[in-house]
């Protein structure tokens, strides 16, 4: 974001480096229940981003001193694989992954009915297999579907997306070049049933008017992603009725 560049983000036809229109999402793929040994799981692609989420619990909380006698805690772990970025990512937690784990956990706490499971822990692991900007949003989308797949009681599932700015224009769902060399990046997530915003960050600069338009663009896209999340869960749990012979 901080680096100024000579890259032209919008061509003479108004299209982006990857051929998208400014308000166009990357291709999104969501699959629920992809892992045998987790209580719930999901695989998500946002363009070149590839994320796997796994959920365990509600189960006994370890370490025990973290237990809350009135509700379950949600322990999230966002992790980038060493091969997920072009320069090898040093394994293990860093400031960025701790921050992303925290904001995702806070977003999920707004929908998971944690009060039903006092003293328990719900553990959510997000592994970034391939990163191309927007991995916190893809991670949260995957985590929500994995929690639903695990049968964890929730008020809603959470969609998320980033809106940013490059060449002075607002762009939906930034790719890596737009994120790294553009002017702003605003990831967000909502509870679709209420419209409540449960994650909102901003890196870079926007005018207030741009920010309001960016929010509108992102929220609209969140409702589209919400449909894809529900479709993935329906596909996972669709029961095929056997044909009855006459
Ligand atoms: O992924 P997200 O946009 O949520 O977070 P970011 O901190 O804005 O990172 C943007 C992108 O930079 C990531 O998705 C990766 O593609 C890239 N990145 C990287 O190449 N190496 C890192 N250590 C961290 C991020």
């Amino acid at each position: 974001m901080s680096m100024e560049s000579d890259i032209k983000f919008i061509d003479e036809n108004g299209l982006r480096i990857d051929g998208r229109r400014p308000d166009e999402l990357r291709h999104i793929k969501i699959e629920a229940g992809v892992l045998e040994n987790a209580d719930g799981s999901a695989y998500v692609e946002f363009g070149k981003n590839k994320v796997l989420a796994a959920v365990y619990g509600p189960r006994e909380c370890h370490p025990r001193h973290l237990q809350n006698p009135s509700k379950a805690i949600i322990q999230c772990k966002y992790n980038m694989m060493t091969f997920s970025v072009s320069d090898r990512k040093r394994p293990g937690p860093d400031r960025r992954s701790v921050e992303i784990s925290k904001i995702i956990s806070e977003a999920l706490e707004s929908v998971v009915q944690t009060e039903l499971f006092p003293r328990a822990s719900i553990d959510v692991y997000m592994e970034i297999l391939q990163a191309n900007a927007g991995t916190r949003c893809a991670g949260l989308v995957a985590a929500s579907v994995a929690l639903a797949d695990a049968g964890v009681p929730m008020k809603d599932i959470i969609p998320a997306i980033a809106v940013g700015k490059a060449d002075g224009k607002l762009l939906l769902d930034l790719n890596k070049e737009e994120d790294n060399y553009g002017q702003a990046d605003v990831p967000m997530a909502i509870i679709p049933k209420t419209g409540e915003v449960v994650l909102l960050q901003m890196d870079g600069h926007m005018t207030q008017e741009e920010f309001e338009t960016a929010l509108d663009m992102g929220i609209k896209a969140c409702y589209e992603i919400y449909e894809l999340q529900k479709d993935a869960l329906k596909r996972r749990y669709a029961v095929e009725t056997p044909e009855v012979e006459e």
Side-chain angles (χ1 to χ4, degrees), residues 38-245:
D39 294 326
S41 59
Y43 173 71
V44 167
E45 289 179 6
F46 274 30
K48 291 178 187 161
N49 291 306
K50 298 184 180 192
V51 184
L52 204 46
V55 167
Y56 293 86
R59 62 182 179 184
E60 196 178 345
C61 179
H62 288 289
R64 295 182 76 108
H65 69 87
L66 291 178
Q67 285 185 358
N68 183 326
S70 57
K71 60 177 188 173
I73 62 163
I74 301 177
Q75 302 196 74
C76 287
K77 199 165 159 227
Y78 164 103
N79 181 51
M80 277 184 145
M81 302 261 105
T82 51
F83 49 78
S84 66
V85 289
S86 41
D87 297 328
R88 176 180 178 274
K89 158 80 174 64
R90 206 170 144 259
D94 50 28
R95 275 175 60 111
R96 179 177 170 277
S97 63
V98 171
E99 172 219 321
I100 295 178
S101 302
K102 179 175 184 287
I103 54 153
I104 290 180
S105 159
E106 286 167 0
L108 293 171
E109 268 168 21
S110 66
V111 289
V112 174
Q113 293 178 282
T114 50
E115 67 283 359
L116 299 177
F117 308 100
R119 296 184 196 286
S121 174
I122 298 167
D123 302 329
V124 181
Y125 299 92
M126 287 152 286
E127 297 291 344
I128 310 301
L129 310 179
Q130 189 168 283
N132 196 261
T135 58
R136 72 194 63 208
C137 296
L140 179 49
V141 165
S144 298
V145 174
L147 279 163
D149 180 48
V152 172
M154 295 157 87
K155 289 186 269 186
D156 206 352
I157 40 179
I158 297 182
I161 199 70
V163 181
K165 183 176 151 186
D167 278 354
K169 223 171 158 27
L170 293 179
L171 304 175
L172 181 66
D173 190 16
L174 299 183
N175 64 32
K176 186 166 183 288
E177 291 72 27
E178 294 164 343
D179 181 311
N180 287 176
Y181 306 113
Q183 296 153 308
D185 175 24
V186 181
M188 64 187 82
I190 61 164
I191 302 178
K193 281 183 190 154
T194 61
E196 191 185 339
V197 175
V198 291
L199 185 158
L200 184 61
Q201 298 183 289
M202 177 146 83
D203 187 8
H205 299 280
M206 272 187 192
T207 65
Q208 186 173 342
E209 201 185 334
E210 283 170 340
F211 175 69
E212 282 163 16
T213 310
L215 261 186
D216 288 345
M217 282 168 76
I219 289 172
K220 183 166 164 280
C222 277
Y223 282 101
E224 287 173 40
I225 296 166
Y226 184 47
E227 292 306 316
L228 300 176
Q229 289 173 297
K230 288 191 290 186
D231 280 351
L233 288 160
K234 281 182 201 154
R235 282 199 310 278
R236 161 85 164 125
Y237 290 101
V239 183
E240 288 202 17
T241 32
E243 276 184 37
V244 182
E245 280 185 36

